[in-house]
Amino acid sequence: MSAPASPRQKDVPRTMRELRESQLGRRSARPKPQENVLRQGLRLERIPDPSTVVLFGATGDLAHRKVFPALYQLWRTHLLPHEFVVVAIGRRPYDDETFRAEIRDSLGQYSRSLPLDEEAWASFSEHICYQRLDFADPGGFDSLSERLDALDGERGTRGNRLFYLATQPSQFAEIVAQLGRAGLDHERHDGGWRRVVIEKPFGHDLDSARRLNREVGKVFRESQVYRIDHYLGKETVRNLLVFRFGNGIFEPLWNRRYVDHVQITVAESIGIETRGAFYEETGASRDVLQNHLLQLVSLIAMEPPATFEADALRDEKVKVLRAIGTRRPDPATEVVRGQYGPGWVAATEVSGYRQEAGVDPGSETETFVAARLTIDDWRWSGVPFYIRTGKRLPKRATEIAIQFREVPHHLFRDEAVDPEPNLLAIHIQPDEGIMLRFGAKVPGLGMAIRPVTMDFTYGSAFSVDSPDAYETLILDALQGDASLFTRADEVEEAWSIIDPIVQAWAHEPGPPFPNYAAGTWGPVAADELLTREGRRWRRI
């Protein structure tokens, strides 16, 4: 006689297909996915509610490169409900079939699962429709409201709507205001929710971020607003929380007593590509420093949250930014800016920034920023955080390096090589993983010591495919989980750190640009930022 099934065996579906069927009560016509969909990286607790994603800027580059490939991947792996619709909003004179054909071409280029699963695409495409709309036309939003109501009845989406703003930042306030005027922000008494996802950059400076927060706040409650920073959706960034707070051996060392300093690098080997006009207005400080880098700093330095809930997590991140704000970096001595000139990257000769299309030949825009930050709190007082980002650096890499203090007593000082301080390196891209360096005795006579490493890599440790950041973030938004999205006060605190730097640069003569060659690790002054304190940048 066989043993009775355990509650887990009996009640919990073993496949995502069974889970969806148990919730929806019927089978789907979607084809069986070709990969394991029970991916731990997605923290999936339930299939999202039936819903409509209203994608503004659907004909733009971001929608084609990131948003639609993410939605397609979620669909083909059975992570979206059957009652699901994408309403693509654009100004071009498309109909549904014309737009679907364009998305099909984009997926053939940008999907991370190639070749394209034609059966999955055929079923997914039936859930895409196109709506031509001029953002300045109130009548267009009234027509959109009518169509969404009709889709609720036809597709069973229950009034749940996610408005995704993948447009130019200058259009955010206008779109939000029109959504409010048309009543599209109103959540229904029977449970239909409304949420808005807003892409970065959120504001151009502190004043514009505050104005945008006010304009959005006139229409949507803060709990309905999801400000997206795709870096927070990366697998290794999210693993920081597990690494720190899910392991008992590291958190006791995560403080000024054991850590000498922290280095965070966001390096790109590419130039500005076709974004010359955009980059001229932003530069590295607004493009990466204000959001990606400060987000990584806050995750590394934050205190343990009371619970793993959105507001508890974001409360602790805001505290870090405020602690930086009490002693902002001095633009003259603790911040370095640079601009790349001609050089060689990966054995290819490339032009300088001022020779790029759309760039002023005498541009003073920075393509590189390095800074020394201090966090004025009990945990990190006296521990410098060195951060840097740049274009046309030798390689594409994002890394967080925790440099621990030297041992208090050099017991092996008579040896030719004394042990190097311990180092913990967290690789965020492209080779996601974690490395711990420590000293070990070389086999043989004597006491020769050599640094060795213990390496963990996602690719070799897990047999499942890691989701793209946009897959994770879109799914979280559909589920109402705001943990990986930034809050209004968090955005403003970050700008309050960056604004004084940018303003100081505007009133002072800049360094002679270009001041670093493409293919190098930035200007000499960035190295001096560390060497004057007896440290050096880690070789990545």
Side-chain angles (χ1 to χ4, degrees):
M1 180 176 180
S2 61
S6 68
R8 181 176 181 84
Q9 293 171 321
K10 181 178 180 181
D11 298 333
V12 179
R14 289 174 295 176
T15 69
M16 191 57 63
R17 179 184 291 274
E18 293 170 359
L19 176 59
R20 180 176 49 74
E21 289 166 2
S22 68
Q23 292 185 333
L24 299 180
R26 58 185 174 83
R27 301 188 68 83
S28 167
R30 268 183 284 174
K32 183 178 180 180
Q34 301 301 311
E35 64 183 359
N36 179 13
V37 298
L38 294 173
R39 295 177 295 179
Q40 296 178 4
L42 286 171
R43 301 184 292 108
L44 192 65
E45 298 173 358
R46 60 180 176 84
I47 295 291
D49 298 328
S51 55
T52 299
V53 172
V54 184
L55 179 58
F56 292 90
T59 59
D61 187 67
L62 176 63
H64 284 249
R65 285 176 176 264
K66 293 295 184 180
V67 180
F68 272 108
L71 289 170
Y72 162 76
Q73 187 69 14
L74 291 173
W75 177 264
R76 71 175 290 272
T77 52
H78 293 234
L79 296 175
L80 293 177
H82 188 272
E83 291 82 358
F84 177 80
V85 182
V86 180
V87 178
I89 306 296
R91 296 176 178 175
R92 298 178 186 177
Y94 292 148
D95 57 21
D96 290 355
E97 292 305 319
T98 304
F99 183 74
R100 290 170 183 172
E102 185 172 287
I103 295 302
R104 168 64 179 79
D105 291 341
S106 295
L107 292 179
Q109 184 176 359
Y110 300 119
S111 174
R112 68 180 181 87
S113 299
L114 292 174
L116 210 62
D117 184 330
E118 295 296 344
E119 290 186 77
W121 161 248
S123 61
F124 177 59
S125 65
E126 295 174 357
H127 296 256
I128 301 173
C129 54
Y130 184 81
Q131 179 92 359
R132 189 178 182 184
L133 177 64
D134 186 333
F135 301 153
D137 177 21
F141 283 82
D142 292 332
S143 297
L144 173 62
S145 180
E146 294 173 1
R147 186 169 190 183
L148 293 177
D149 288 340
L151 287 170
D152 284 340
E154 295 169 10
R155 303 296 186 98
T157 47
R158 304 181 191 176
N160 298 319
R161 297 166 189 171
L162 182 73
F163 300 102
Y164 196 122
L165 276 54
T167 65
Q168 294 294 327
S170 59
Q171 298 170 322
F172 292 165
E174 180 180 33
I175 294 172
V176 168
Q178 292 283 25
L179 291 173
R181 189 205 58 77
L184 288 166
D185 61 308
H186 297 165
E187 295 186 324
R188 303 192 329 190
H189 67 279
D190 58 353
W193 48 256
R194 309 292 165 87
R195 299 169 189 148
V196 59
V197 175
I198 303 179
E199 277 282 348
K200 80 172 190 69
F202 197 90
H204 186 72
D205 54 19
L206 179 57
D207 287 342
S208 62
R210 284 173 173 167
R211 286 196 303 271
L212 184 53
N213 275 331
R214 285 196 299 268
E215 293 301 314
V216 173
K218 291 177 183 178
V219 178
F220 293 97
R221 301 188 310 275
E222 179 62 29
S223 60
Q224 295 176 279
V225 182
Y226 292 69
R227 299 170 188 81
I228 194 169
D229 182 342
H230 72 272
Y231 253 59
L232 295 184
K234 290 184 178 295
E235 193 69 20
T236 317
V237 173
R238 297 187 301 130
N239 192 46
L240 281 174
L241 299 173
V242 176
F243 184 77
R244 284 194 58 191
F245 307 128
N247 296 288
I249 64 173
F250 296 109
E251 186 60 23
L253 309 178
W254 218 263
N255 55 64
R256 63 188 301 272
R257 182 176 178 182
Y258 297 101
V259 175
D260 179 78
H261 70 278
V262 178
Q263 296 182 24
I264 303 178
T265 297
V266 177
E268 295 182 274
S269 59
I270 62 172
I272 59 170
E273 298 181 304
T274 60
R275 302 194 306 158
F278 166 79
Y279 210 83
E280 278 286 88
E281 295 181 1
T282 58
S285 56
R286 292 185 174 99
D287 187 41
V288 179
L289 179 58
Q290 185 272 336
N291 39 74
H292 300 337
L293 274 171
L294 288 182
Q295 286 292 327
L296 295 178
V297 170
S298 63
L299 286 171
I300 284 293
M302 63 183 281
E303 294 294 326
T307 62
F308 192 63
E309 295 178 353
D311 279 337
L313 183 65
R314 295 187 291 184
D315 285 345
E316 299 303 332
K317 290 167 61 183
V318 169
K319 290 177 184 177
V320 173
L321 296 176
R322 287 175 180 163
I324 296 173
T326 60
R327 191 201 172 286
R328 298 186 183 95
D330 183 352
T333 61
E334 295 180 305
V335 185
V336 172
R337 53 177 162 159
Q339 184 188 97
Y340 67 84
W344 293 78
V345 178
T348 301
E349 188 173 13
V350 297
S351 60
Y353 176 74
R354 293 180 176 183
Q355 288 76 53
E356 303 277 15
V359 173
D360 181 352
S363 174
E364 294 294 317
T365 300
E366 79 284 356
T367 63
F368 177 97
V369 177
R372 181 188 188 275
L373 305 179
T374 55
I375 301 174
D376 193 17
D377 64 10
W378 278 79
R379 180 184 289 263
W380 296 111
S381 179
V383 177
F385 281 65
Y386 301 104
I387 60 178
R388 61 177 172 172
T389 183
K391 296 282 191 181
R392 288 297 188 202
L393 300 184
K395 61 188 297 187
R396 171 179 174 262
T398 300
E399 181 190 84
I400 301 168
I402 314 295
Q403 177 70 68
F404 292 96
R405 295 187 181 276
E406 293 185 353
V407 294
H409 174 60
H410 289 276
L411 187 63
F412 307 102
R413 69 180 65 209
D414 294 333
E415 299 304 319
V417 180
D418 215 29
E420 295 183 23
N422 301 122
L423 176 83
L424 180 68
I426 302 167
H427 308 294
I428 295 173
Q429 65 179 13
D431 300 316
E432 295 88 349
I434 300 172
M435 181 274 288
L436 177 65
R437 184 183 71 197
F438 57 94
K441 178 187 175 299
V442 177
L445 301 176
M447 284 294 293
I449 299 171
R450 181 179 299 171
V452 296
T453 62
M454 294 177 62
D455 292 285
F456 155 74
T457 59
Y458 274 91
S460 60
F462 299 107
S463 59
V464 296
D465 190 19
S466 294
D468 177 78
Y470 274 87
E471 294 170 39
T472 299
L473 294 171
I474 290 173
L475 189 62
D476 279 357
L478 289 170
Q479 291 180 312
D481 183 355
S483 302
L484 300 177
F485 297 84
T486 53
R487 204 168 57 188
D489 54 346
E490 190 176 349
V491 171
E492 293 180 12
E493 290 292 343
W495 276 119
S496 72
I497 297 169
I498 303 305
D499 258 16
I501 298 172
V502 176
Q503 291 170 5
W505 289 346
H507 295 91
E508 296 177 0
F513 284 161
N515 60 354
Y516 72 97
T520 65
W521 282 104
V524 175
D527 296 325
E528 295 172 347
L529 194 65
L530 276 71
T531 55
R532 67 186 181 214
E533 296 181 335
R535 302 182 177 103
R536 67 178 186 273
W537 289 108
R538 169 174 152 75
R539 293 181 180 178
I540 298 178

